[in-house]
């Protein structure tokens, strides 16, 4: 509905973590508009998570995120306007993260555009098998497992974009 309302034509999406899940969702549900997808560290269901990470997600609060990344969260809170908006966002995100299934095998199987899935072999939330499972459900998709890379490293290591993301996006 938003894509139509905003008159969005064809587009490419690059998403990290929950943004990767959103990009895959768009590829499945807006097949006529999505040209390419790069999904960095995205889950498709709660089975994607390591058991201990899923338990941690159940316990995490907005205050925990503030302790982990105080400067980053302080900047985000400034953008939000309302004092409690960040905590509401975390609660809403947790509700979404803890849904048993985000995308079905059928939805993923319907993706028609080129897809690159990137995961780190040291990702705290998902292991390489979870990324391989996502790749196996999307016909013709590509998978790149980055050695020695954790979850956040997927977006902070410029070499991942230089060596993997940009060449994929440049392909015709």
């Amino acid at each position: 509905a938003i894509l139509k309302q905003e008159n969005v034509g064809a587009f490419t999406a690059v998403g990290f973590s929950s943004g990767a899940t959103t990009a895959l969702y768009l590829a499945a549900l807006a097949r006529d508009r999505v040209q390419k997808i790069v999904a960095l560290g995205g889950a498709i269901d709660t089975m994607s998570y390591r058991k201990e990470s899923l338990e941690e997600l159940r316990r995490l609060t907005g205050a925990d995120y503030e302790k982990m990344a105080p400067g980053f969260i302080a900047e985000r809170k400034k953008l939000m306007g309302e004092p409690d908006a960040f905590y509401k966002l975390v609660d809403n995100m947790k509700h979404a993260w803890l849904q048993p299934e985000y995308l079905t095998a059928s939805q993923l199987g319907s993706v028609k555009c080129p897809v690159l899935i990137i995961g780190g072999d040291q990702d705290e939330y998902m292991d390489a098998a979870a990324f391989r499972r996502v790749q196996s459900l999307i016909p013709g998709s590509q998978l790149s497992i980055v050695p020695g890379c954790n979850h956040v490293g997927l977006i902070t290591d410029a070499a991942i974009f230089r060596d993997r993301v940009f060449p994929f996006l440049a392909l015709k």
Side-chain angles (χ1 to χ4, degrees), residues 17-167:
S17 198
S18 295
T21 305
T22 301
L24 292 171
Y25 187 82
L26 288 168
L29 299 176
R31 291 184 298 277
D32 57 326
R33 295 182 181 175
V34 181
Q35 294 183 322
K36 284 188 181 180
I37 294 292
V38 178
L40 297 109
I44 58 168
D45 53 28
T46 53
M47 287 178 26
S48 299
Y49 293 106
R50 296 174 189 269
K51 185 180 178 190
E52 62 276 10
S53 296
L54 189 56
E55 292 305 316
E56 181 183 345
L57 282 174
R58 285 187 171 100
R59 289 190 306 270
L60 278 175
T61 66
D64 293 325
Y65 282 104
E66 282 186 294
K67 289 175 192 166
M68 289 187 278
F72 178 79
I73 301 303
E75 289 300 314
R76 293 305 166 272
K77 286 173 79 174
K78 286 180 195 173
L79 297 172
M80 294 181 162
E82 290 182 41
D84 292 333
F86 174 72
Y87 302 107
K88 290 176 190 172
L89 173 67
V90 170
D91 288 341
N92 289 336
M93 292 299 294
K94 278 178 59 171
H95 177 74
W97 292 330
L98 296 173
Q99 295 302 307
E101 186 173 64
Y102 315 150
L103 291 157
T104 67
S106 174
Q107 287 171 319
L108 292 166
S110 74
V111 172
K112 302 293 183 221
C113 69
V115 175
L116 173 61
I117 297 144
I118 302 177
D121 72 350
Q122 300 298 310
D123 191 301
E124 303 90 302
Y125 300 105
M126 294 164 279
D127 60 20
F131 299 117
R132 283 192 289 276
R133 185 168 66 92
V134 175
Q135 189 265 332
S136 74
L137 294 170
I138 302 172
S141 62
Q142 298 176 39
L143 175 65
S144 178
I145 300 295
V146 183
C149 186
N150 66 14
H151 194 66
V152 173
L154 292 169
I155 59 165
T156 59
D157 183 347
I160 292 170
F161 281 80
R162 182 192 67 228
D163 299 340
R164 292 173 170 84
V165 175
F166 296 147

